[in-house]
Amino acid sequence: MRVHDEQSSPTHTYNLRPGGSGRDHERNRDVDSESDSESDSAATATSGSGPGSGSVSGSASNADTDSNHPTTARTMQTSNTESSCPDSLIVVSNRQPYRHTYDEGAGTDEENGTETTGTSDSGSGSDSDSGSQSRPQNGADVGPNSNTNPISVDEPTGGLTAGIDPVLQEANGTWIAWGDGDADFDVTNQRDCVRVPPDDEAYTLRRIDLSEEAVDAYYRGFSNRVLWPLCHGFAELVEERSDDLEWYRTVNERFAAAVADHASDDAVVWLQDYHFALAPRMIRQTIPDSASIAQFWHIPWPSPATFDYCPAHEEILEGLLGNDLLGFHVERYANAFLDCVRRFLPDATVDHEQGTIQYNGQTTRVVATPMGVDAASYDQQARETDAEQLLSLFDRYDIPRNSAIGLGVDRLDYTKGIPERLTALEGFFAENPRWHGDFTFIQKATPSRTEIPAYARHGDIVRSEVDRINRRFGTDDWQPIVYTEDYVEHEDLCALYRHADVMIVSPLIDGMNLVAQEYVAASVETDGTLLLSDRAGAHERLSSHALTIDPTDVSGFATAIGDALSMTPQDRTRRMDALRSSVFGGDIDDWMATQFALLRRVHGDGAAGIESRERTQPM
Ligand code: GDG
């Protein structure tokens, strides 16, 4: 079965927009001390030459886009001045979709600590660590400051960022994100806005300028030293530093204030992830009642016993209950959230069956909507791989050409179960000498949050384990584990996915895990096998035809590697066909369409329009 052949190219129209807003763009306030509230037209004059298209004007003549939209109830309104920031759909994320940087040699990438020449990892787009895979557009001219180097623009090429970008282009909406590029504020207007994409301006990117201190405390502090470990059940790794929570509040306030700047009566605000747990309530207090607020929480939600360790846990819950809609990947996280509200906010009315919470006169609907990947594009990219490309990858990594391939692709994060995977591989090689030289495992590990001690320690453990195992089994001609922290180009990643005989996805816990789905989408020969941890959100979608592993059961894990390698071709294909049906049947476009369908219901009818709790899509 060739599932991909049955997929039509995704030309979804998202019937989200509630109509043109005609709101004047008077700024309520601007907490960004660096920027002021100059008029839009004055702001438009910023930067005569800019990146990509060579223009950074706030020109917003996209009414035509809307007129092509078959399901829009009201005609989309062109922004009322050149640099007005349009309304209706407002996306808020930590990571921005486009980043402007000066071409003056490589810098250090915030998210992965590696040198960057315009690529930023990886995936979801909701986080610096899981942001867009980006590719640089070639540089334009200079910004208005003294730096005369050309400017490059990273643009999204994968993951959530790439999924949302065309929707915002269609909706002429607004995206609010941290501006982390060194040229970012040299191309924005005086309201910190720039029209994007650079070569086809369609929506407004509003950048939030954060000081190094703010980033360290909000992002590397409360977000990733407290919320990340807690939500993943690693309470022992929580590191509380004195100012981090206060900075987290401050940064949430700044994003909330930016939302208020752009929110019309019928705005739909869609926040991404755990960097913004407090913002929804702040936003609710400042934007019109008729506007809707939704959030997708991309990581797990912990049990009440674990969440009890969270500083300001009531404040966090109250913040999130500013949302009309709160989404998780899977039911168990949604349920855990409901459990936490019941336990820590006794005044809230929690209806587990309906998935609703009444608190402070507001209803929040909690849903589980598993996220998919852009399956068609992984399929297509994989098909474009040629033999030469594969051979050059074998040569690059010094892999014997006849070797079977195993693959792992992860951020270097303690949740991803890489040490456990290495131990299982060691067990496999110890028990199966006949595979020495004939099976090579490639581990791509993307350094992440390296300034945080728990991550630095984890990276050291992984690297030393790889060395130890390679010393134990390696020969002059063969290393059992090829380990790389280098960024792998999208095309090469798809080639590796396509040709990997075994893909190992073994997190100790994972909100979803996109890599598992990407592998399946790129397995165009249907001859690979997925080993999948029962603790990944993806397991709920893919368990029936992946080989399930408990990542901590080293011996069972090692056996499963052997089972995968010795599986009959028929069994492999049967399983992979079924996996591909799942992955193509619930791709990123389906997920987006689901989000917007839910948003519309919340926006239009409130909780009254919702009959029952949204269930995780069955396989
Ligand atoms: C969070 C949640 C949830 C990695 N290295 C390279 C590269 N990648 C890409 C992969 C994939 C992405 O990074 C990783 O996504 P994951 O979903 O596996 O994990 P997180 O980064 O932890 O994401 C997670 C996700 O948000 C979405 O909600 O699934 O549970 O933790 O897309 O392909 N891509 C390229 N080169 C690399 O070297 N091109």
Side-chain angles (χ1 to χ4, degrees), residues 121-127 129-131 133 158-160 228 232 273 296-300 329 371 373 378 409-411 413 415-416 444-446 449 485-491 493 497 509-516 518 537:
D121 257 0
S122 48
S124 82
S126 57
D127 179 10
D129 299 293
S130 49
Q133 303 141 35
L160 178 62
W228 177 275
H232 287 85
D273 231 341
F296 196 83
W297 194 266
H298 289 262
I299 64 175
H329 284 298
M371 185 174 160
V373 298
Y378 278 94
V409 177
D410 310 80
R411 273 187 312 99
D413 192 296
T415 62
K416 301 292 182 182
K444 163 66 218 296
T446 305
R449 308 169 194 170
E485 296 184 356
D486 293 341
Y487 182 78
V488 179
E489 292 298 335
H490 183 64
E491 304 78 60
L493 182 66
Y497 282 152
I509 179 168
D510 214 332
M512 168 53 66
N513 193 291
L514 302 179
V515 167
E518 292 166 5

Side-chain angles (χ1 to χ4, degrees), residues 291-365:
S292 308
I293 308 171
Q295 185 159 15
F296 196 83
W297 194 266
H298 289 262
I299 64 175
W301 189 273
S303 67
T306 302
F307 191 61
D308 203 10
Y309 289 101
C310 184
H313 53 265
E314 286 174 18
E315 185 183 351
I316 298 279
L317 293 174
E318 286 178 332
L320 288 168
L321 294 181
N323 285 300
D324 300 296
L325 179 70
L326 177 60
F328 294 92
H329 284 298
V330 294
E331 285 279 330
R332 67 177 183 280
Y333 306 146
N335 286 331
F337 180 78
L338 294 168
D339 290 342
C340 284
V341 173
R342 197 190 286 271
R343 160 111 176 249
F344 297 111
L345 295 181
D347 291 343
T349 305
V350 179
D351 184 334
H352 262 272
E353 185 53 34
Q354 294 293 316
T356 55
I357 299 164
Q358 317 271 347
Y359 185 68
N360 263 349
Q362 189 185 342
T363 301
T364 301
R365 181 158 190 249

